[in-house]
Every structure is written in structure tokens, then in C-alpha cells.
């Protein structure tokens, strides 16, 4: 894929940058600006090269029409603070405000368009509707840079269709993300462990199937672990359970034994009477959760076990918290895994935190990004890459480069 340098002299050129600025908000307050900070280097590089930078992104899941709670205005303010310069905010995506802001931009200026998903063409299922919106976006620019790794697995107008209409390249963020994921998939330094958490096994079926071919060790926590425990005929009480996936999980356990892949499950859990920080809770053996309680975190012995199982690893990928980390009584398991990865990073191992809730968890628990080898900005995109799926936002750039080389 072409990099920004391959686009040539950008002074005076309008460059449309697809960033991932989908940050969590509490009202209009950004609670985790990690994705905005990750977007800054590419925007800074383009601005420094004299480009007129037009940033586009989405926030949340609006239904193809403006909603105040999903406005990118707070993001524009924070982006300006991080860049140390004014960011012009357009109050629409391809309308009068956007065109006026882009027309008024001078070399080095930065414009942020309003939420792309306020236009139904961004996420439309039909090629024709997406292409129409993409043509309007492309009309604002002379070149396109894909720098929103968190959306490259989506076939959406600003991710896929625009890249077919303009000279296109990857930004530094996407370049870094793909480089790290290649290290995880092509020839990882071993032992290679994967820590999986989060709510549902069904969200990770494909990636588990693929990891059984490549990883040496799988450590399972979070809500998904209870389906694994049920597959071993353990009592899981009222814990989150996907009964329809129990047989699939039994198959994974059999496949792991055949391949020599170690699957590590918790030996104890924190079980509570309700999904609440104030609920009565206790540590119980993983195989004997009381019928009236739900598991909300791996227990302290499991935290020690998981850290021990990671100690000799040279490569670790982690996706999904070990429990309901947002509530203090159920955060210790996630913190134990994070501490283990911090130690491995100091020892020179490659540690990758796979975005989404995992990234939010380590920041909420007081860890800094530089304590890990890499914190991905795209949880879903990372998983699909590890699953071996084609990511439309990357394949379209490969196709364009191939066509240009052929020409």
C-alpha cells in the first residue's frame, strides 16, 4: 500500500483524511481521548507538508440523520488542543458549511467535518447510495489518506468508495497497526499467548478458530469464560452463558488438545448476587459458582495463574477485559493481566492490547499507553485481521496500487 510520501508534493492540495475519532462521551465531555491522540501524528505531518487537511470521521451510531449527542464538535475542540492550533469545524459533512470551510482553508489548515453517519450514504448497503455520497466527499479533496484503523473492516463510503475515486494512501496510524498485526500472524516470536475476554464467545468464534492454528496458549476470561466452564459441565449459576455455543466450545477444547495448544481457564471467580458494585460478592471456585450468583471477574488465584502463564511469553495479544472492570469490586482480574503485560514489555516482549474495551480498561485502571508495546485503536478490525478476513479498507488500497502499477 502507498504511504503519504508516495502522494508527492502536497503543498496547497486538499487532503481528505479518514480518521477514527469515535471516542466515548459523557454528555459533551470526552472520557477517553486515546483515538484522537492517535490521529494527531498523521494530521500534523500533512499540515506540516502544506496540505489543506480535511478530516472526516464518525461518532456513535446515529441513524443517518443529525443527532446533537453524536456531534463531533467536542472532538474538534480537543483535536485543536492536541494540535496546538485552531481546527475549523464544519456543521455538515458535504453541504454548504463543509464546502465553505474547505474553500476558505489555507495551506496547513485543518478542517473537521461533522459526523459522517449523519448522512445515510455513509453506511448504506447499496453500492449506488454509498458511491453517491463518496463522490460528494471526494469533491472536497485532491487526495485521500486512510488513517482510521478502527473502521477499515467496514465497507463504507468514507473507508472504501472514496479510496477508489482519489489518489490514495495509508496514514501512519494504519501503517503501524498493520505492521504490528503482521508480527502477530506471520512469524510471531514464541511462546505466543492470546488473552481473550469480553462478553460473548459468539463474537470471537472466527478468531478462536484461527488462533488455534497459530497461538501456543489461549487464556480465557470475561463473560465468555462461562460458556467454556459449562462445556466442562461446571455449574455457572446465573452467569452470562451462551448455551447454543457450548458444543462449539467443546469442539475447540478437543481441537486444542489435538494441536497441543494450552487453554487456560480461571480456577476461581468473583461471584455476585447481581450485576452491581454494591451487590454481595465472594470468591468461589470456578467449578462451583452458587446457583443464585453470577461470575463478574476472574478471582485472585486466577490472576496469579494468568500472570504465571504469561511470564515466559515473547508475544502476547490481549482483547477483552477479564471482568466488569467498570465496577471496582470486579476490576482486579483485568488489572492483573495488565500488570503482567507491563512486566513483559519491560523485558522486551511484544505486547499488543487489542483496542475497544481492553484499551479503555487499561487507561481507566491507571496504566499509560507507553507501558505496552502497542495499544490498537481498532478492536473489531484487529480481531478480523487475526481471523484472516479481508478488510475492505485495506484491500481497496491494495487494488488501487496494483492498478496503478499495471498502468
Amino acid at each position: 500500500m502507498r504511504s503519504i510520501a508516495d502522494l508527492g508534493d502536497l503543498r496547497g492540495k486538499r487532503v481528505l483524511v479518514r480518521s477514527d475519532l469515535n471516542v466515548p462521551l459523557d454528555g459533551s465531555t470526552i472520557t477517553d481521548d486515546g483515538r484522537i491522540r492517535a490521529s494527531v501524528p498523521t494530521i500534523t505531518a500533512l499540515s506540516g507538508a502544506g496540505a489543506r487537511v480535511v478530516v472526516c470521521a464518525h461518532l456513535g451510531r446515529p441513524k443517518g440523520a443529525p443527532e446533537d449527542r453524536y456531534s463531533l464538535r467536542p472532538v474538534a475542540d480537543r483535536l485543536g488542543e492536541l494540535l496546538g492550533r485552531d481546527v475549523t469545524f464544519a456543521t455538515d459533512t458535504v453541504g454548504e458549511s463543509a464546502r465553505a470551510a474547505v474553500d476558505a482553508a489555507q495551506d496547513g489548515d485543518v478542517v473537521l467535518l461533522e459526523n459522517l453517519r449523519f448522512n445515510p450514504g455513509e453506511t448504506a448497503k447499496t453500492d449506488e447510495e454509498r458511491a453517491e455520497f463518496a463522490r460528494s466527499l471526494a469533491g472536497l479533496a485532491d487526495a485521500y489518506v486512510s488513517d482510521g484503523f478502527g473502521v477499515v473492516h467496514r465497507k463504507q463510503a468514507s473507508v472504501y468508495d472514496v479510496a477508489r475515486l482519489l489518489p490514495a494512501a495509508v496514514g501512519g496510524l494504519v501503517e503501524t497497526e498493520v505492521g504490528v498485526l503482521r508480527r502477530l500472524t506471520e512469524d510471531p516470536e514464541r511462546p505466543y499467548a492470546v488473552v481473550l475476554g469480553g462478553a460473548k464467545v459468539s463474537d470471537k468464534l472466527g478468531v478462536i478458530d484461527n488462533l488455534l492454528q497459530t497461538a501456543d496458549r489461549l487464556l480465557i476470561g470475561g463473560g465468555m469464560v462461562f460458556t467454556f466452564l459449562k462445556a466442562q459441565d461446571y455449574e455457572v449459576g446465573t452467569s452470562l452463558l451462551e448455551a447454543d455455543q457450548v458444543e462449539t466450545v467443546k469442539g475447540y477444547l478437543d481441537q486444542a488438545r489435538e494441536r497441543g495448544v494450552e487453554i487456560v481457564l480461571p480456577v476461581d471467580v468473583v461471584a455476585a448476587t447481581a450485576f452491581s458494585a454494591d451487590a454481595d460478592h465472594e470468591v468461589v471456585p470456578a467449578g462451583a459458582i452458587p446457583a443464585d450468583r453470577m461470575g463478574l471477574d476472574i478471582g485472585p488465584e486466577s490472576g496469579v495463574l494468568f500472570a504465571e502463564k504469561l511470564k515466559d511469553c515473547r508475544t502476547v495479544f490481549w482483547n477483552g477485559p477479564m471482568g466488569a472492570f467498570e465496577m471496582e469490586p470486579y476490576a482486579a482480574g483485568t488489572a492483573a493481566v495488565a500488570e503482567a503485560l507491563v512486566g513483559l514489555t519491560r523485558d522486551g516482549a511484544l505486547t499488543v492490547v487489542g483496542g475497544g474495551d481492553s484499551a479503555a480498561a487499561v487507561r481507566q485502571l491507571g496504566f499509560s499507553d507507553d507501558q505496552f508495546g502497542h495499544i490498537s485503536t481498532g478492536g473489531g478490525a484487529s480481531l478480523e485481521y487475526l481471523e484472516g478476513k479481508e478488510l475492505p479498507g485495506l484491500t481497496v488500497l491494495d487494488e488501487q496500487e496494483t492498478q496503478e502499477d499495471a498502468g
Side-chain angles (χ1 to χ4, degrees), residues 51-107:
R52 302 174 184 189
V53 186
V54 184
V55 182
C56 63
H58 78 280
L59 179 65
R61 295 178 181 272
K63 305 298 184 184
E67 294 183 51
D68 287 346
R69 62 177 172 151
Y70 292 130
S71 174
L72 282 171
R73 187 177 290 279
V75 174
D77 294 340
R78 181 58 180 148
L79 180 60
E81 292 171 359
L82 292 168
L83 290 171
R85 62 180 304 147
D86 289 337
V87 170
T88 302
F89 180 64
T91 57
D92 55 30
T93 53
V94 292
E96 289 183 14
S97 178
R99 290 193 297 270
V102 173
D103 287 345
Q106 302 298 306
D107 295 1

Side-chain angles (χ1 to χ4, degrees), residues 108-297:
D109 284 354
V110 179
V111 175
L112 175 62
L113 306 180
E114 182 55 285
N115 193 334
L116 289 163
R117 292 185 180 176
F118 287 176
N119 190 302
E122 168 67 1
T123 57
K125 300 301 182 187
T126 67
D127 292 346
E128 295 78 10
E129 194 175 354
R130 281 200 328 274
E132 182 180 352
F133 181 51
R135 282 192 291 272
S136 297
L137 274 175
L140 298 172
D142 305 302
Y144 171 79
V145 171
S146 174
D147 205 44
F149 182 73
V151 290
V152 294
H153 60 315
R154 306 294 188 198
K155 192 173 183 180
Q156 295 178 348
S158 67
V159 178
Y160 179 81
D161 301 87
V162 170
R164 306 176 75 188
L165 300 173
L166 293 169
V170 292
L173 173 61
V174 170
E175 212 164 23
T176 298
E177 294 270 16
V178 172
V180 169
L181 289 170
R182 281 180 177 156
R183 290 178 65 186
L184 293 178
T185 54
E186 293 180 2
D187 188 20
E189 190 176 354
R190 298 185 182 276
Y192 171 29
V194 176
V195 185
L196 292 178
K200 296 181 178 180
V201 173
S202 56
D203 290 341
K204 297 184 169 73
L205 291 176
V207 76
I208 292 172
D209 202 42
N210 218 40
L211 288 170
L212 287 172
Q213 327 294 320
T214 58
D216 300 303
R217 206 169 288 158
L218 293 184
L219 286 67
I220 309 293
M224 64 186 289
V225 77
F226 302 107
T227 305
F228 277 81
L229 293 174
K230 192 68 174 179
Q232 297 184 323
D233 297 322
Y234 290 152
E235 173 59 57
V236 298
T238 61
S239 305
L240 185 63
L241 173 66
E242 290 183 278
D244 60 334
Q245 300 298 336
V246 170
E247 291 304 314
T248 301
V249 168
K250 285 181 178 179
Y252 287 149
L253 294 171
D254 291 341
Q255 191 180 150
R257 279 190 289 270
E258 291 169 7
R259 292 184 170 276
V261 177
E262 184 180 8
I263 292 190
V264 183
L265 300 177
V267 293
D268 60 348
V269 301
V270 181
T273 53
F275 189 81
S276 167
D278 300 326
D280 181 54
H281 58 275
E282 62 180 335
V283 177
V284 301
I289 299 172
D292 63 343
R293 291 180 180 255
M294 61 180 67
L296 293 178
D297 192 17

